[in-house]
Amino acid sequence: MSSFDALRSAVFTSGHDSRVEVNQRALIDKILARYASAGAVYRELLQNSNDADASTAEIFITTEPTASAPVVTQVVYRNDGLPFRHQDWSRLRKIAEGNPDVSKVGAFGVGAYTMFSICEEPMVISAGQALVFAWKGDSLWTKTANAAYTADKWTTFVLPSRDPYPVPDLVTFGQFLCGSLTFTHSLKTIHVYINDQRKLSISKTQIKPPTVITPPKATSWWNNDGAVTRSPNGFFSLRSENGAITETVNEMRVTLDDDQSMILARYVSAVADVRVPDSTARKITRVTKKKTPSNVNIQVFIDAVARSTARKGSRSQAIINAFSPEMGGGRVFIGFKTSQTTGIAAHLAAPLIPTVEREAIDLQNDALRVYNTELLSIAGIVMRLTLEHAMGLIGERWGEAAKIRADQAQHITEKVNGDTSADNGNTHFTHTVQGQPSDDEGHGEQKATGFLGFARFMVGGVKKIADVISSIDPIGSGDDEIFNPNDPIPLSAVEQDAVMLMRAFCPRPSTPDHLVGSVIAAGFAACMPNSRPPVLTTSGVVRGSDARLPFKGIEAFVKSNVVRKVVLRNAEEYHKHVAVCPSLSFDDVSFEIQERCLAEDEVVRLIKWVVKYSRIDPSLGKEMVQLKSLVRFQPRTVAMQKKDSTAKELYMKDFIYFVSNKSFSPELPLPPNVLLQSIMDALTQRYLEDHALRQWFAPLQFRAWIEFIVEHPSMTMGRARDANLRLKILSTMCREYYRLDGTERVQFGKTLLSRLSSVKCIPYDDPRGFASADVPGDLYLPSAELHIFEGLGSFRKVSSSLRNSGINDEFLLAIGVRKAISIDFLFTQLDTLKWNENPKPLITYLRKATLSAQDLAKLKGTQYLPEKKDKSRTYAPSELHLPNPELHVFPFVKVLQWASQEELNEWSADGKFLVKLGCRVHPPLEAVLKYMAYENTERTIRLKCLKFLYKRLIAGGPYANEYVSQSTGYSGEPSHFLNMKFLPVVRTDPLDEKKFRELQAPNTCFINPSCGCMGFPILDVELGSEQMYGNTFRCSECPPTDALLHRLLNLVSIAKSKLRSQETSASSDFQRHILKVFAKIYRYLSTQANEFDRKQLEVLSKAPIIPVLVEDNLGWFRSHEVYFKNETDEGPEITTALFHVVDFNPFLATIGVKREATIKDLFQMLLTNPKSVLTKLGGEEQYRTLLRRIASNPPYRAVTRQIRVSPFLLAYQLDMNSAAEDEGQDTSNPVKARYTLAKAEEICIIDNSFFARMFDVLSAPQESDLEEFYISLGAKYISQRVQTSFEVSSQSVRGTPYVKDFARRIYERRPLLVSPNITSRPLKKNAASLLDERNLSVCEATKIEAHYRLGRTTKTQTVTCCAKPEGRRNNALFITQDLDWFDVGNAIGGLILQRCQLEDSFFVGNLLEAPLSQLRSRGFPVDRILRADAPVHSEVKMVREAALSKHRDVALSAQKPKGEHEAPQGRGAQLQGEAKVVKTGTLPPQVVNGASHSKWKSRSQSKPAELISDKQGFQHILREMFNDCAPEHINILLGPNPSLEKLKEAKEILERGDYPKVAAAKPPASKPPASGKPTPGSIQTSKSAKNPSGASLANEKSPRSTGSILDFITPNSRKSSSRPFSTPSPPSSAPPPASQPVESKESFSKRSNLFGRVFSIRGANRGLSHLTNETVRSKQVTGDAPMTSEQDTTAHHGTERLLANSILKTRSVARSGFHSPERLMTSIPANLDRNGDGCEVVPAQNLVPFHCPGHMRLGIQVFSFRNNDNHVDADQFLRANLDAVIAFRNVLHHLAQVYSVRMDGMAIYYNSAGRSIAFNRQGGLYFNLRFFTSLHYVRGATPTTDCYSFWFTTMAHELAHNLVSPHNKEHGYYTESFVSVYLPKLHQSLSRNAIRNQLAGISE
């Protein structure tokens, strides 16, 4: 049991009972407020009357007159139902206790209380009893008594008005009562009386017996076409017995005064069984207090007919219309009408569970929502069955009236007789919907598939979709009837009833809840899911899927199952969304036309429809063509003459032409495939010529008509009666002939000539007077001159009637009528006419005569012309040439004999005619060429022939086209013209230089004389301009590349054979001759280098064709075996020294000869013969330069065994005799070394110079790039090869003060040592824990020896520090008194680093040795060490010990002799000095001078605390800090009872400087060491070697810069430090004095001078963040709380992340170069002079890419600067200084690794005149090579530390531009930040080289 259950039990057991009280008046008011509708009291009373089985209800309204209008004073309502029973009186007295009878509507028991809405104290009278409601305060009481009212039949409700109200409008009140009476099962009549006078009566009466509706059953067990009679979840199911669903027709009548109206209504009632699951039933009972019924009655109300007896505008009609629902406005009745609509024009009454106010269906409660939606679904099923039944009856009526309807349609059609003004029948139906869209909306299947689209339509609402055709119809507006055919037949009574029924089911979204309509629609659809609802069509009632909606006039052709347009417009939503009827489509047209024969009028309409419909759907091209093949029709004449259906039918596919113009008169015969004239007249030309009918009909062409007419009997039979028709036909042909122009006319004439040549159709004048006709070829024109041939024969001329008909001579000539004598006749009469010897008269006659094509053909082919020399025979014109003197050079030419003195040429009249007949002007080209190719032809004759041929081959010449076409050939190959050898050429032997003259074909000789050097024939120069002749004869300029290739290989082979056959004495001269010959050949081939393809170049590159003189012997080499000479290099050149070289030649470069050897070539030579390479290069320096090139760009992907074992690497071996054995000796002189070649595994990388001195090893060149290269090949660091071990003396102690102070320094600086931001070396994973106090112990030893072993050699050396393991996890650090910080760094670096190198040892040692203030000034994050707070008691102890030490030092300094304070010299002098103080109890001078206080606090042997606990002790402390302050002022500040707190307050006050001052007393001065060096008694340097003022740092002007005692008792001071081995940092508010050194030579002798140089740039007074430093300064002055170490660390890490992210902004440089003009920055600092050398003026840049010779890869983008001035060419400079480019790239590569910058984000450029050292453009960094070569580059030398320092700072400057563009303070801050953050990484990267150069000098 839970705690709540226990508490509940306890309350029930011991709690006090109290009754819940109800404010009854407030409760009733709130109940009444839930009733939203007016007249709720009458609705509830009428419902109670219906529940009481009353048939009549009467309402008596009593009024009183007022000044404005009568008001109601009382209402009496009574009904004749069952009187009240005992339980009824009981329920009346109780609120919210409804009627438990499930058959009754009341459910909540609050309906009766609506009487209180108009009445204060109502009274109920029934069965002789009366009950009166009375109020007592807010409580409602009832009183009951026997009634004196004796009307036993009636149950009466008396309702006196609480507040009189106006008399209700009887029309509005009547409409309300009609709604209440719609579904009452008992109540039939309602009377309304006003002042006892009946004013209104409403009644309903059943006029027809019930009709049983039977749900359709499945046709078979496998067909799912039956009706579904269950709700989706099975809650309700319609009873299956007969009579469960019935339909009745009631008469609804309204009488208002004397006005009466009546309508008929259809009621459908259905009984459904209820099966609600028990769980749901229990939930429903808990809410309604009623059990779910066992069955329910569902009723549907629909208008029965479309007619009403009421006259329009009457008041009774306004009331009676309340029964009829509007479209979509049917209401849901739950007893009485609610505000919820059904979405269709049908009321629904069902026992749905309503909300309290009975205005809506309860769909909120889960159980009630399921129950109500199930009931709505079954109601939808009932509505579907109602529709099916009603449409079935309409279908029966439609079939019965079929004959009457047909007769009526025929009568109307005959009467209208095509009247287009008909109104399509719309005006015959009064319920036509106005404003509806046309039938053109939608096309094809509706989008809603299946009837479920009805439900989706109810959810989404009504949306109208209209397809708008935007194109303009060119046919005309008068043809709209094609898409909207007239329908003059009015709606019949059956159709009107069908429309009313279908309009009732036109959907609208239900309101206010759309879900109700959707659920009803879903039930409607689920009743018969596989059958669409029925519709009325022209064929009767059919399913929606079988019906077709009218669309674009298709209904004019389809006669079956089509919905009439007027029916569709009045019930459009039903057809489209409920029945989902598809629209008519093209397929319906095709099917209909295929099934029946059309009338001629229908054919005309069909053709017009095709034209218009093609504009809507252009994709039906093929279908339209197929449609034509389906059309068959009866002509109108046949149909009128023969009423028989078997009359002749015509097929549209047989008609292919129409007459498109007036060329054909109606009298002319037309082909049978021309469209009927009546159809053409009805269609007009606009339709026939439309593009949509191009596949149907084509205009009748004359050629087609001629093909028909020449076979027509009128033309072929020659009948006299057809003479006039023949003239008309010829006249028509003549008009068409002249209508055409040009070529078309000629072609038409040829067609007529061919078709009429054998047809006797041309009339001629017969002397006998007969109308005779003959073929055109046998007749002559009237104008023909035949008198010359008189007596030689008889000739007939054409009839003069032709001219009278408009037929002229030109047309007659075209069709074959003659104007001249026949050629055959002429040939037979040549001898008679004597035209054989002199052809001029014959030619002149023929030229003037009109000849036909046949005549010309005969003239061309007949031999009738004489030849000038040959008299034995005659020749055809094509065998002869016109006379020409130039033709005498050709003996084979036949010339025409022309006896006349008149010149005959190709331009004369007779000459042109002869040429037309085929006479030649020029001899055949082939014959001329053959004659010229004859070898025995004399040279002079050949030259004349060449000139003759040349003149005729030039552009426009007679031979030009033939020579060109024959030269090209049909297949693109050279023809035989180019193969004929007729051109004189000169050929030279290349090697012997002998010349030969010969004949060659055009395709074997060449124009360019340069190719003669290879032995190719060239045109003879004696021709004149060989270039002109060569182009004319189509000779090639140069040989093709294939010929050049083979000729070159052949020449090489010949040269080799001749060299072998030459004698030794003549061999050298011939070799030089060969070199000259091939140099000339290769110069010529350079002009053709671009013509060779890839395969040819590959062949040439592999062939040994390049002659090179090697040691007086001529050798032949391949292209990859030789290189070009480098004429620009002054010094020795690697390529020249190692390889065979030749002079530069473009052709040789094309086949693969390179300007210089590639890295791969050089590397391969190194591997194969390194000693030879070393010898050829001339020494170690050039060899090392070669190794640098290979290292910068390794030519291999992986290190192979050949590379590892080849001894090609340069190595050095120290001369151990000259090496210094003692470490303390001077090492300034370089150690001698000798070089050799060795394998990688034999060479050591010197990362430890001591090891290099100890052991005899081969060392690599000390260059970083070469060392990395050696490592990649297998070389190892010497530190990796030397094994180190330590031996510690047995006497080691722990816990001494010296050991503790050293350990504290290690632990204190541990964060610096293990920070990944300080060092770039990889740390061990547990580096931080290794330096933890628990894991690292410190011991002091007397002696430590280090043993180093390499191979069999072992060396021993004494060290001052080492680390050894102690157990599994711990380590011990051993130190000696003479401590060397390098040894400490080596030991600790070996612990925390994965590999500790020499520079790491120096770096770690310096971090431990350098003062914290010095580290801080260099950017190291040491503020948290300086700020570390000590406990208060430690501070007090520190002050006391410091004061004691100062007093003791003053006393001892006066007793000890001079120089006693000097500590021993050496590396451990500082710790030794401190140890001495601890033992003797004395302090070194630095304590006296105030340089170091806190580090001695644990060692001083001080007095007890009482010595400085008094006032005098605190005064002494303040006087020491502020020695110029008056003592009296200090006493006042401390007060009578001084304490540590007052001491702090006084210190803060005095720091402000506002105090009385006196002359400051000088403290005792300590004598500096004689050496001038710092006193070696402290760990770090406290003052400079020589101070200009001669004072220590403690005596500076500002007392706060000395680190006074008071600094260590103020934990808030950023200067304080209570840790050992440290000095207080200088105040951050002022920079350190100029005399203070950044570092001393003794303490930092092993470090390079890089740090001082860099910090001199950025300033020592800046930190990592401006905000941090300024905040520290302000807090030091004001005394606010300092920043914590976590805040310092966060700020520092944030700065590091900012810088790292800015580096990521570096972008790739512009590889294609760029050009930018000079510009000024918009934000220039105020103190920056624009006219000076400030960098705010951004200079112009014009960079172009530099292409490295020999495809050499530099690993960085290089650019050259271009300008218009006469500066040094940048490209030449870069090519001559590639070594400098590589060296600069190596420097930038080194720095890129330090900054983690991408190499593609940096570039090198050379500008010889600009002042820019570097610049940043869009994130890309560009560096000027000029400054590198001028300042830092030395050929062959390693870049110095100065070089790296300079470019390191320059790169920091440019990277800062990624954050800030202008050069302002912010840019300076980020530049300094970059330097400070990345300086340690640069130091670690470069210290190794710096140390080696300083200690060993090996690289020198």
Side-chain angles (χ1 to χ4, degrees), residues 1026-1215:
E1026 65 275 4
Q1027 179 71 34
M1028 180 175 61
Y1029 275 88
N1031 292 335
T1032 303
F1033 292 118
R1034 301 183 66 81
C1035 297
S1036 299
E1037 180 75 18
C1038 293
T1041 54
D1042 288 337
L1044 293 176
L1045 173 64
H1046 292 93
R1047 180 61 59 88
L1048 177 61
L1049 297 177
N1050 187 29
L1051 289 176
V1052 171
S1053 178
I1054 295 173
K1056 290 180 180 179
S1057 62
K1058 287 189 175 183
L1059 282 173
R1060 289 192 294 268
S1061 62
Q1062 288 289 333
E1063 297 179 1
T1064 306
S1065 59
S1067 176
S1068 59
D1069 295 336
F1070 187 71
Q1071 289 177 356
R1072 286 191 293 272
H1073 173 70
I1074 291 295
L1075 289 176
K1076 293 180 181 180
V1077 169
F1078 276 90
K1080 186 177 181 180
I1081 290 174
Y1082 288 141
R1083 280 197 299 271
Y1084 165 70
L1085 290 178
S1086 297
T1087 63
Q1088 307 297 314
N1090 294 331
E1091 305 298 329
F1092 288 91
D1093 58 24
R1094 182 178 57 83
K1095 292 183 179 180
Q1096 293 170 342
L1097 293 177
E1098 185 177 356
V1099 173
L1100 290 173
S1101 64
K1102 295 180 179 179
I1105 60 174
I1106 304 175
V1108 180
L1109 198 60
V1110 181
E1111 297 178 355
D1112 297 333
N1113 288 321
L1114 188 65
W1116 299 86
F1117 300 94
R1118 298 176 178 86
S1119 60
H1120 66 274
E1121 296 174 343
V1122 295
Y1123 299 90
F1124 292 129
K1125 294 179 181 178
N1126 192 349
E1127 299 177 356
T1128 59
D1129 287 350
E1130 298 178 358
E1133 210 274 338
I1134 295 178
T1135 303
T1136 306
L1138 299 180
F1139 298 96
H1140 305 302
V1141 294
V1142 295
D1143 293 332
F1144 177 78
N1145 181 273
F1147 173 74
L1148 297 180
T1150 304
I1151 66 174
V1153 179
K1154 301 175 183 178
R1155 288 185 177 271
E1156 62 177 355
T1158 62
I1159 299 296
K1160 186 175 182 180
D1161 298 332
L1162 295 173
F1163 186 64
Q1164 189 62 34
M1165 181 165 284
L1166 279 182
L1167 292 179
T1168 55
N1169 198 352
K1171 292 183 179 180
S1172 174
V1173 172
L1174 181 60
T1175 302
K1176 290 180 179 180
L1177 290 180
E1180 171 263 346
E1181 182 177 355
Q1182 288 294 332
Y1183 195 88
R1184 184 161 54 174
T1185 301
L1186 177 58
L1187 287 178
R1188 288 195 198 103
R1189 291 181 59 181
I1190 296 174
S1192 64
N1193 191 10
Y1196 52 84
R1197 293 184 179 180
V1199 179
T1200 63
R1201 184 178 181 278
Q1202 180 188 6
I1203 299 175
R1204 293 184 183 277
V1205 302
S1206 177
F1208 72 94
L1209 295 178
L1210 193 64
Y1212 298 89
Q1213 191 168 18
L1214 294 178
D1215 187 356

Side-chain angles (χ1 to χ4, degrees), residues 145-223:
N146 293 329
Y149 190 72
T150 59
D152 297 336
K153 174 183 176 183
W154 303 95
T155 297
T156 306
F157 297 83
V158 181
L159 308 174
S161 300
R162 178 190 301 110
D163 298 314
Y165 53 91
V167 178
D169 178 66
L170 290 181
V171 174
T172 304
F173 191 52
Q175 291 174 343
F176 170 77
L177 296 178
C178 286
S180 302
L181 192 63
T182 303
F183 283 107
T184 54
H185 63 86
S186 299
L187 191 61
K188 304 296 183 181
T189 305
I190 301 175
H191 301 297
V192 178
Y193 297 83
I194 298 180
N195 296 329
D196 296 331
Q197 183 180 0
R198 182 186 293 184
K199 302 293 290 182
L200 176 65
S201 296
I202 303 173
S203 64
K204 64 176 180 179
T205 307
Q206 180 177 330
I207 62 174
K208 290 183 180 180
T211 303
V212 177
I213 297 177
T214 304
K217 296 183 179 180
T219 55
S220 59
W221 63 270
W222 62 84
N223 288 334

Side-chain angles (χ1 to χ4, degrees), residues 53 55 376 398 516 657 711 982 1163 1283 1338 1437 1445 1601 1755:
D53 295 333
S55 61
L376 289 173
W398 180 266
V516 174
Y657 295 115
E711 301 294 338
F982 63 90
F1163 186 64
Q1283 299 178 2
V1338 181
K1437 183 179 179 181
S1445 300
S1601 66

Side-chain angles (χ1 to χ4, degrees), residues 1568-1587:
S1571 62
K1573 298 181 180 180
T1575 305
S1578 61
I1579 296 301
Q1580 69 271 13
T1581 303
S1582 61
K1583 64 184 184 72
S1584 62
K1586 290 291 182 178
N1587 195 323

Side-chain angles (χ1 to χ4, degrees), residues 569-812:
R569 288 182 176 177
N570 285 279
E572 189 168 2
E573 288 87 356
Y574 176 83
H575 288 90
K576 291 186 176 181
H577 299 288
V578 178
V580 197
C581 301
S583 297
L584 287 168
S585 64
F586 184 83
D587 294 337
D588 298 315
V589 177
S590 301
F591 180 79
E592 184 73 16
I593 290 177
Q594 186 177 8
E595 292 297 320
R596 65 187 183 91
C597 181
L598 303 181
E600 187 173 312
D601 294 340
E602 290 181 302
V603 170
V604 173
R605 172 182 283 276
L606 176 63
I607 295 175
K608 291 182 177 180
W609 178 85
V610 167
V611 172
K612 293 180 69 66
Y613 194 80
S614 297
R615 288 169 170 75
I616 300 175
D617 192 356
S619 63
L620 295 175
K622 295 182 179 179
E623 290 77 1
M624 288 297 185
V625 176
Q626 296 175 356
L627 180 65
K628 178 187 177 184
S629 63
L630 302 177
V631 177
R632 51 192 175 92
F633 66 97
Q634 285 184 342
R636 181 181 290 109
T637 55
V638 176
M640 293 176 62
Q641 295 174 1
K642 300 180 180 180
K643 302 296 183 180
D644 188 7
S645 59
T646 61
K648 179 181 179 182
E649 295 179 353
L650 300 180
Y651 291 88
M652 187 60 68
K653 63 182 179 180
D654 296 333
F655 298 95
I656 58 177
Y657 295 115
F658 68 92
V659 179
S660 61
N661 52 44
K662 301 301 182 181
S663 300
F664 302 99
S665 61
E667 298 85 359
L668 294 178
L670 295 177
N673 54 7
V674 176
L675 196 61
L676 298 182
Q677 187 64 42
S678 59
I679 295 179
M680 289 192 292
D681 294 340
L683 289 175
T684 71
Q685 290 295 321
R686 287 184 304 167
Y687 277 102
L688 292 173
E689 294 175 355
D690 192 271
H691 68 277
L693 296 180
R694 289 178 182 175
Q695 300 296 327
W696 282 47
F697 312 110
L700 178 61
Q701 301 295 325
F702 246 89
R703 288 180 175 81
W705 179 72
I706 288 173
E707 295 294 333
F708 161 75
I709 204 65
V710 296
E711 301 294 338
H712 197 268
S714 62
M715 294 288 287
T716 58
M717 299 185 68
R719 295 175 298 192
R721 66 186 185 194
D722 296 330
N724 291 332
L725 182 58
R726 284 196 295 269
L727 283 176
K728 291 181 180 181
I729 292 173
L730 292 174
S731 177
T732 301
M733 293 179 180
C734 182
R735 285 197 303 271
E736 178 65 15
Y737 177 81
Y738 282 103
R739 189 184 65 83
L740 302 176
D741 293 326
T743 307
E744 293 183 352
R745 179 184 294 183
V746 174
Q747 293 296 331
F748 183 67
K750 292 180 179 180
T751 301
L752 293 178
L753 178 62
S754 62
R755 300 300 296 160
L756 298 177
S757 60
S758 60
V759 179
K760 294 181 178 182
C761 60
I762 306 299
Y764 64 90
D765 294 332
D766 192 344
R768 296 175 296 176
F770 298 109
S772 303
D774 202 350
V775 296
D778 294 339
L779 299 177
Y780 294 87
L781 294 177
S783 61
E785 296 182 0
L786 305 176
H787 60 277
I788 301 177
F789 306 102
E790 291 180 357
L792 298 179
S794 60
F795 309 99
R796 293 194 298 269
K797 296 186 177 181
V798 297
S799 175
S800 59
S801 61
L802 293 175
R803 183 178 299 274
N804 297 333
S805 299
I807 303 173
N808 58 15
D809 293 350
E810 182 181 353
F811 172 72
L812 293 175

Side-chain angles (χ1 to χ4, degrees), residues 441-450 532 544-549 551 576 579-585 588:
E441 294 183 356
H443 176 51
E445 289 289 337
Q446 304 296 326
K447 291 184 178 180
T449 57
R532 298 182 186 177
S545 57
D546 298 330
R548 294 294 183 270
L549 301 181
F551 180 76
K576 291 186 176 181
V580 197
C581 301
S583 297
L584 287 168
S585 64
D588 298 315

Side-chain angles (χ1 to χ4, degrees), residues 37-73:
S37 61
V41 61
Y42 299 105
R43 188 186 66 184
E44 294 295 335
L45 293 175
L46 289 172
Q47 174 192 315
N48 292 337
S49 302
N50 189 60
D51 289 342
D53 295 333
S55 61
T56 304
E58 295 180 343
I59 303 173
F60 295 86
I61 301 175
T62 304
T63 65
E64 287 184 359
T66 63
S68 59
V71 295
V72 178
T73 58

